[in-house]
Amino acid sequence: MAAMTTGSTSRADANRRRILDVALAELLRDPDASMDQIARAAGVVRRTVYGHFPSREALIGTLVDEAVAALAEADAGARDGAADPAEAVARSVLALWPIADRYRLLIALAQRTVTVQGIRERLAPLRETQVRLLREGLEQGVFSSPLPAPALGFVHEQMLFAVMEAVNDGLLAAEEAGRSATVAVLSAAGVPVTLATELVARVSART
């Protein structure tokens, strides 16, 4: 009986994983993809999809949770060993961008379905780390801004969302967006554009 239960659980987990992987691909291809479309693409019946995710919003919310977890892991790895706050911010944004770029259509979709507040709540731990870096940089004079660290962190977050939307709308080439976003974030924190550009080039060359 235990073996049967374990086997059933494994199959259910495998089905759930497949549904999530297929759903991400389908939603990136067609942001209006329905649960029926996702079920057909995953090779399961509609009931199976709803057995794991009670609504389309719940499915999208789970995908956003996975994106946020991937962002947090990349951020922690990128900042390791960076003593200078500006370099830490540059490393972080450059590491986050490929993941954000992969999910940018999903994030734009989630802002309409999961609600912006829901996304902001999911990003809270990542935001706290960025605010700490900004606070250290402001105290050390590396950054300069009329805004306190929490407000500056909010501005940075919105800038990154805006750059994603610019790529989605064809206003900025995807291959240029990561470096451009990083320079823009550093500039908003008071780092001169020339210095920000040089720093981003150095960090990029090492990664």
Side-chain angles (χ1 to χ4, degrees):
M1 181 66 71
M4 290 179 60
T5 302
T6 301
S8 299
T9 301
S10 298
R11 284 195 298 275
D13 289 344
N15 273 342
R16 184 177 189 276
R17 182 69 263 163
R18 175 165 175 72
I19 290 166
L20 284 170
D21 291 341
V22 169
L24 177 60
E26 287 297 303
L27 289 167
L28 294 180
R29 184 183 62 80
D30 175 12
D32 295 320
S34 67
M35 295 289 266
D36 283 342
Q37 286 176 255
I38 292 167
R40 285 196 299 272
V44 298
V45 297
R46 187 169 181 261
R47 184 176 60 186
T48 300
V49 177
Y50 277 104
H52 291 283
F53 307 100
S55 67
R56 187 169 180 272
E57 288 72 21
L59 174 58
I60 292 171
T62 301
L63 289 170
V64 171
D65 286 341
E66 291 195 345
V68 170
L71 290 170
E73 182 178 357
D75 173 63
R79 289 184 291 99
D80 187 36
D84 176 63
E87 181 175 341
V89 169
R91 284 192 191 183
S92 174
V93 177
L94 286 169
L96 295 178
W97 190 261
I99 299 167
D101 185 59
R102 181 188 177 209
Y103 287 102
R104 60 185 158 82
L105 289 173
L106 174 66
I107 291 171
L109 173 65
Q111 286 181 300
R112 298 195 296 271
T113 57
V114 179
T115 77
V116 174
Q117 184 59 34
I119 294 176
R120 282 187 52 75
E121 290 171 358
R122 287 170 166 84
L123 290 172
L126 190 59
R127 186 182 309 112
E128 289 170 6
T129 299
Q130 297 301 314
V131 169
R132 178 179 57 77
L133 285 175
L134 292 172
R135 185 176 289 113
E136 290 175 2
L138 289 168
E139 291 172 351
Q140 295 174 20
V142 175
F143 300 140
S144 176
S145 173
L147 299 174
L152 184 57
F154 179 81
V155 169
H156 281 182
E157 186 176 296
Q158 295 305 304
M159 286 178 68
L160 293 176
F161 280 136
V163 173
M164 281 188 251
E165 288 288 357
V167 176
N168 288 343
D169 290 346
L171 305 176
L172 179 66
E175 59 271 18
E176 299 173 5
R179 289 192 180 195
S180 298
T182 309
V183 172
V185 163
L186 290 170
S187 300
V191 179
V193 173
T194 302
L195 295 179
T197 303
E198 291 173 355
L199 174 59
V200 170
R202 287 200 307 272
V203 173
S204 297
R206 296 199 298 266
T207 57

